[in-house]
């Protein structure tokens, strides 16, 4: 399973191209160089998946959703809506035109990993979102702190 870690700031040109950071590229070298970009359902950002990870996600969704159910079909359509992109010989990535409007408001973008994929944010949008979620401790405690069981190094279970 792929694990992507890191946050990087990049300049984006008027064509929607940016130099893909070496620190992130090193983590993705096991894939074939293809990526999928889709718009996030939950935030004003894009999601960048490796092609293999996105294909696995689509396969998982196809098992969960019934293509003969109208709502499931609409969900599948929306969740698989994306564009295949590749790095050029200079390690630049071109964001497709219809998706560029989401992140090309300022001249800088933020690549924020989520472990499974990378979120691509317009710099100003990222700063705004980050300010709103600065104090996560109470939310993390409410969601993960109660009933969480952790196994200590000596094998003893701690709650």
């Amino acid at each position: 399973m792929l694990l992507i870690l890191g946050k990087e700031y990049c300049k984006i040109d008027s064509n929607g191209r940016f130099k893909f950071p070496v620190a992130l590229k090193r983590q993705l070298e096991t894939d074939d160089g293809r990526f999928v970009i889709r718009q996030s359902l939950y935030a004003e950002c894009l999601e960048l998946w490796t092609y293999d990870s996105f294909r696995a996600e689509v396969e998982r969704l196809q098992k969960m959703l019934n293509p003969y159910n109208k709502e499931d079909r609409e969900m599948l359509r929306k969740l698989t809506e994306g564009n295949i992109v590749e790095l050029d010989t200079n390690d630049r990535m071109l964001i497709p035109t219809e998706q560029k409007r989401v992140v090309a408001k300022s001249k800088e973008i933020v690549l924020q990993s989520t472990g499974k994929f990378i979120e691509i944010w317009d710099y100003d949008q990222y700063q705004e979102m980050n300010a709103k979620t600065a104090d996560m401790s109470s939310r993390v405690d409410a969601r993960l702190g109660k009933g969480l069981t952790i196994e200590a190094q000596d094998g003893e279970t701690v709650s």
Side-chain angles (χ1 to χ4, degrees):
M1 182 175 158
L2 183 66
L3 176 64
I4 310 166
L5 300 173
K7 175 169 69 172
E8 299 285 339
Y9 296 86
C10 304
K11 299 285 184 199
I12 186 168
D13 69 18
S14 59
N15 295 323
R17 287 183 309 215
F18 66 95
K19 176 104 170 129
F20 199 77
V22 173
L24 293 174
K25 185 180 179 216
R26 283 187 190 138
Q27 297 177 59
L28 305 173
E29 287 183 326
T30 58
D31 290 296
D32 65 2
R34 293 185 297 168
F35 297 88
V36 175
I37 292 181
R38 74 172 181 188
Q39 186 162 352
S40 174
L41 295 175
Y42 304 104
E44 190 68 19
C45 69
L46 301 175
E47 297 173 356
L48 179 68
W49 297 68
T50 64
Y51 181 82
D52 290 339
S53 293
F54 193 76
R55 187 183 70 228
E57 182 71 8
V58 170
E59 289 170 0
R60 188 179 73 80
L61 291 168
Q62 288 172 331
K63 288 177 185 171
M64 294 172 55
L65 299 170
N66 178 355
Y68 299 103
N69 176 288
K70 184 181 178 198
E71 287 183 11
D72 284 5
R73 184 181 212 97
E74 289 170 352
M75 271 192 276
L76 189 60
R77 185 181 305 120
K78 191 64 179 172
L79 292 170
T80 59
E81 185 178 68
N83 295 78
I84 296 175
V85 296
E86 296 181 32
L87 296 176
D88 67 14
T89 55
N90 294 316
D91 287 337
R92 292 178 304 182
M93 183 174 286
L94 176 66
I95 297 174
T97 304
E98 69 270 12
Q99 294 165 329
K100 185 171 65 170
R101 65 176 171 70
V102 176
V103 295
K105 296 169 187 155
S106 60
K107 298 287 183 207
E108 193 170 7
I109 59 174
V110 180
L111 304 181
Q112 172 65 58
S113 69
T114 65
K116 198 173 187 179
F117 57 87
I118 298 169
E119 293 178 334
I120 303 174
W121 288 86
D122 173 78
Y123 178 83
D124 294 332
Q125 289 286 111
Y126 182 80
Q127 297 304 332
E128 209 174 287
M129 176 278 302
N130 215 20
K132 288 179 186 175
T133 59
D135 183 21
M136 290 291 280
S137 60
S138 61
R139 290 169 59 187
V140 169
D141 187 46
R143 180 83 171 137
L144 300 174
K146 296 181 174 91
L148 184 64
T149 303
I150 301 170
E151 187 174 316
Q153 286 183 343
D154 61 4
E156 191 173 312
T157 301
V158 181
S159 294

